[in-house]
Amino acid sequence: MLTTHPFDDDKLREECGVFGIWNAEAASAMVALGLHALQHRGQEAAGITSWDGHQFHTHRAMGHVAGNFDRDDVIRKLPGNVACGHVRYSTAGETALRNVQPLFAELSSGGFAIAHNGNLSNAIKLRRELVRRGSIFQSTSDTETIIHLVATSAYRTLLDRFIDALKRIEGAYSLVVMTPEGMIACRDPLGIRPLVMGKLGDTTIFSSETVGLDVVGAHFVREVEPGELIVISEGAMRSIRPFAEVNPRPCIFEHVYFSRPDSVSGGTSVYSVRKAIGAELARESPAEADLVIPVPDSGVPAAIGYAQESGIPFELGIIRSHYVGRTFIQPGDQVRHLGVKLKHNANRALITGKKIILIDDSIVRGTTSVKIVQMMRDAGAAEVHMRIASPPTRHSCFYGVDTPERAKLLAAQMTVEDMARYINADSLAFVSVDGLYRALGEPGRNPERPAHCDACFTGDYPTHLTDHEELSPPIDQFALTAERFVA
């Protein structure tokens, strides 16, 4: 089996998106709409939990939101005016219904539902401690660790127990939590993963991205601040900041690839930033060429920016079909090779005899780039120059992004010149780290106080990596066991 997204197979993938609604008629139906807008953040599974004032109701399913939550019979079984939802993409951990979120547990204080975007970098260590103390886990998700920490906390109130749990975890998390007492939305102190708040009349909405607010007609109020807990109960909303203040480090790759281009992140249009990255690329790494061609769809805004800055015409030299299913059974190598063209095909009449500049958002293993360059050469391109709208990805992410181990990252093993030869391009260049920051409206990266988490480019991790650094054997050897956790 091969995915029919051959140019998406070699991408870094955000692992999930969350959406929550307080005080809305048909709350679960609105959550389903929000999850549709966040589908790009997780395409493996989806779930919704609702609260009707008396009990919790949950439906979780493998696959996309469409087909699972666009049916009246499903939504009718999720009554109530409070609901939260989750879309999931896992890493090498187990793909199973028991890991699909929101996760739910009956605690001494009542029901507790949690949806998590991110990854806890000390989940394995905490899980081992909890199991030794008698906790019984039902999933292989790091998110369940939070539930057990809340359940075993010595504090009296549920809110204090939840804060106590948060103070024991490290890594990245944006959470939406539902209890009989109300809803809690929070971000880790560094704000690595995004979370925004919106309003629709008297309804309060939380979403991983602003596009989730757009789809339900809500207006953006503000971001949930790094280290902030927003607690909503009957007739009241309050903000709590239980952590010591630190320099925020939101994930810079949200601007490069993860977020939808029509989202606003950190007060800035994602689309505008991607165009600005393309313009930086044109200034830093010009090339003599006839056409600028994006790798669809993620390379389009940067390619527009590159074309506008360089004066080289922008053209769609790769045509993407939007009518191909997610997977395709392929019985042999020949059919497997042809299957690549189900999703993308070269615009041969445009490309033949032309010097082209290909714009893509990133290079991970390099397998995608090899296919793209070869496709252009097969279509008759005279020269193929590749420009990448992010710096070289040389380090793995431990904060909720599916990244290969470092040994499989092409940029960690080769120089840029060697990479160009490997993908068979006439030239290859990446935007610089400072250029990426300039595209965000900053003068460059301040190494003493970086404004973003850019560890995948720089190796400058903003938190401890307990499971990776302290446990033996190393974390990557747990990839196929129950101790490899994903949000």
Side-chain angles (χ1 to χ4, degrees), residues 11-319:
K11 298 291 186 185
L12 298 179
R13 298 180 191 269
E14 174 69 81
E15 287 182 9
C16 42
V18 299
F19 195 87
I21 287 186
W22 174 270
N23 189 32
E25 290 187 16
S28 58
M30 292 182 69
V31 170
L33 289 173
L35 294 182
H36 271 288
L38 299 176
Q39 185 73 85
H40 61 288
R41 299 185 73 89
Q43 300 181 46
E44 182 179 272
I48 295 176
T49 297
S50 69
W51 165 250
D52 65 6
H54 302 284
Q55 65 183 34
F56 289 87
H57 309 267
T58 296
H59 183 77
R60 302 182 297 166
M62 307 303 295
H64 289 189
V65 178
N68 285 310
F69 292 96
D70 53 1
R71 294 162 28 208
D72 288 341
D73 60 319
V74 171
I75 297 300
R76 281 198 301 269
K77 294 177 182 178
L78 297 168
N81 65 356
V82 181
C84 68
H86 186 272
V87 288
R88 179 177 189 262
Y89 175 83
S90 71
T91 58
E94 183 183 26
T95 299
L97 191 60
R98 63 176 178 161
N99 287 331
V100 180
Q101 298 186 32
L103 296 183
F104 177 80
E106 288 285 355
L107 307 184
S108 60
S109 56
F112 185 92
I114 183 170
H116 172 202
N117 173 208
N119 194 68
L120 309 184
S121 55
N122 64 338
I124 295 176
K125 183 177 181 179
L126 288 172
R127 180 183 177 118
R128 289 178 173 178
E129 294 172 359
L130 288 161
V131 169
R132 280 196 294 268
R133 289 162 49 193
S135 292
I136 301 173
F137 281 73
Q138 302 298 315
S139 76
T140 58
S141 168
D142 63 342
T143 308
E144 191 180 356
T145 304
I146 300 174
I147 296 176
H148 287 276
L149 289 173
V150 173
T152 57
S153 172
Y155 283 84
R156 185 177 63 84
T157 70
L158 177 62
L159 181 58
D160 286 339
R161 290 159 67 185
F162 181 60
I163 293 172
D164 180 42
L166 296 183
K167 288 184 175 181
R168 294 194 59 194
I169 62 179
E170 66 184 36
Y173 56 85
S174 286
L175 305 172
V176 175
V177 172
M178 291 166 48
T179 77
E181 300 175 13
M183 176 174 280
I184 305 171
C186 66
R187 289 173 77 189
D188 65 80
L190 292 166
I192 297 174
R193 302 262 68 86
L195 190 63
V196 300
M197 180 173 67
K199 295 285 286 187
L200 180 62
D202 294 329
T203 298
T204 302
I205 302 168
F206 298 101
S207 175
S208 289
E209 293 184 39
T210 59
V211 289
L213 306 179
D214 296 339
V215 76
V216 297
H219 71 271
F220 170 76
V221 174
R222 65 178 179 89
E223 294 188 352
V224 178
E225 297 294 326
E228 180 185 24
L229 281 72
I230 297 178
V231 182
I232 307 178
S233 55
E234 291 298 334
M237 177 188 297
R238 56 185 171 138
S239 171
I240 301 173
R241 299 176 184 270
F243 305 103
E245 188 174 345
V246 294
N247 177 40
R249 298 279 299 273
C251 173
I252 202 166
F253 219 92
E254 290 285 346
H255 294 278
V256 174
Y257 176 69
F258 295 143
S259 294
R260 264 180 44 169
D262 47 339
S263 282
V264 174
S265 180
T268 306
S269 159
V270 173
Y271 178 80
S272 297
V273 170
R274 289 178 187 169
K275 280 183 63 180
I277 294 172
E280 285 289 339
L281 255 178
R283 288 189 286 269
E284 291 182 350
S285 303
E288 291 187 10
D290 302 306
L291 301 174
V292 174
I293 293 174
V295 177
D297 288 320
S298 57
V300 171
I304 293 172
Y306 192 106
Q308 290 177 347
E309 180 66 24
S310 66
I312 301 171
F314 169 95
E315 295 286 357
L316 296 179
I318 301 172
I319 306 302

Side-chain angles (χ1 to χ4, degrees), residues 185-482:
C186 66
R187 289 173 77 189
D188 65 80
L190 292 166
I192 297 174
R193 302 262 68 86
L195 190 63
V196 300
M197 180 173 67
K199 295 285 286 187
L200 180 62
D202 294 329
T203 298
T204 302
I205 302 168
F206 298 101
S207 175
S208 289
E209 293 184 39
T210 59
V211 289
L213 306 179
D214 296 339
V215 76
V216 297
H219 71 271
F220 170 76
V221 174
R222 65 178 179 89
E223 294 188 352
V224 178
E225 297 294 326
E228 180 185 24
L229 281 72
I230 297 178
V231 182
I232 307 178
S233 55
E234 291 298 334
M237 177 188 297
R238 56 185 171 138
S239 171
I240 301 173
R241 299 176 184 270
F243 305 103
E245 188 174 345
V246 294
N247 177 40
R249 298 279 299 273
C251 173
I252 202 166
F253 219 92
E254 290 285 346
H255 294 278
V256 174
Y257 176 69
F258 295 143
S259 294
R260 264 180 44 169
D262 47 339
S263 282
V264 174
S265 180
T268 306
S269 159
V270 173
Y271 178 80
S272 297
V273 170
R274 289 178 187 169
K275 280 183 63 180
I277 294 172
E280 285 289 339
L281 255 178
R283 288 189 286 269
E284 291 182 350
S285 303
E288 291 187 10
D290 302 306
L291 301 174
V292 174
I293 293 174
V295 177
D297 288 320
S298 57
V300 171
I304 293 172
Y306 192 106
Q308 290 177 347
E309 180 66 24
S310 66
I312 301 171
F314 169 95
E315 295 286 357
L316 296 179
I318 301 172
I319 306 302
R320 174 172 178 170
S321 169
H322 293 271
Y323 303 99
V324 180
R326 190 161 179 235
T327 58
F328 182 77
I329 304 300
Q330 300 183 343
D333 290 341
Q334 181 179 5
V335 177
R336 185 177 296 110
H337 175 73
L338 294 175
V340 172
K341 296 185 178 180
L342 285 173
K343 195 67 180 180
H344 297 85
N345 193 39
N347 191 349
R348 182 179 295 271
L350 181 74
I351 292 169
T352 300
K354 300 290 179 40
K355 299 176 183 179
I356 65 171
I357 299 173
L358 284 172
I359 308 290
D360 204 356
D361 59 86
S362 61
I363 291 180
V364 184
R365 296 178 181 88
T367 54
T368 291
S369 302
V370 170
K371 294 175 186 176
I372 298 169
V373 173
Q374 190 58 49
M375 179 182 288
M376 296 297 96
R377 295 203 184 280
D378 290 345
E383 294 180 9
V384 181
H385 303 273
M386 198 151 197
R387 298 294 181 263
I388 306 300
S390 63
T393 303
R394 294 193 171 103
H395 304 272
S396 298
C397 177
F398 299 93
Y399 301 124
V401 176
D402 177 29
T403 316
E405 61 225 46
R406 194 159 185 241
K408 294 182 180 178
L409 293 171
L410 196 66
Q413 309 303 316
M414 296 183 183
T415 66
V416 173
E417 292 74 18
D418 288 338
M419 293 173 70
R421 284 190 287 271
Y422 177 80
I423 67 173
N424 194 28
D426 291 282
S427 72
L428 170 67
F430 297 78
V431 73
S432 66
V433 173
D434 283 340
L436 180 56
Y437 274 82
R438 285 193 294 269
L440 285 160
E442 300 168 25
R445 184 182 192 270
N446 180 352
E448 301 299 321
R449 191 178 172 86
H452 296 272
C453 178
D454 51 26
C456 53
F457 308 132
T458 65
D460 179 11
Y461 294 98
T463 75
H464 294 295
L465 302 176
T466 298
D467 291 340
H468 180 70
E469 296 172 349
E470 298 181 13
L471 295 184
S472 181
I475 191 170
D476 61 316
Q477 293 189 24
F478 288 87
L480 298 179
T481 74

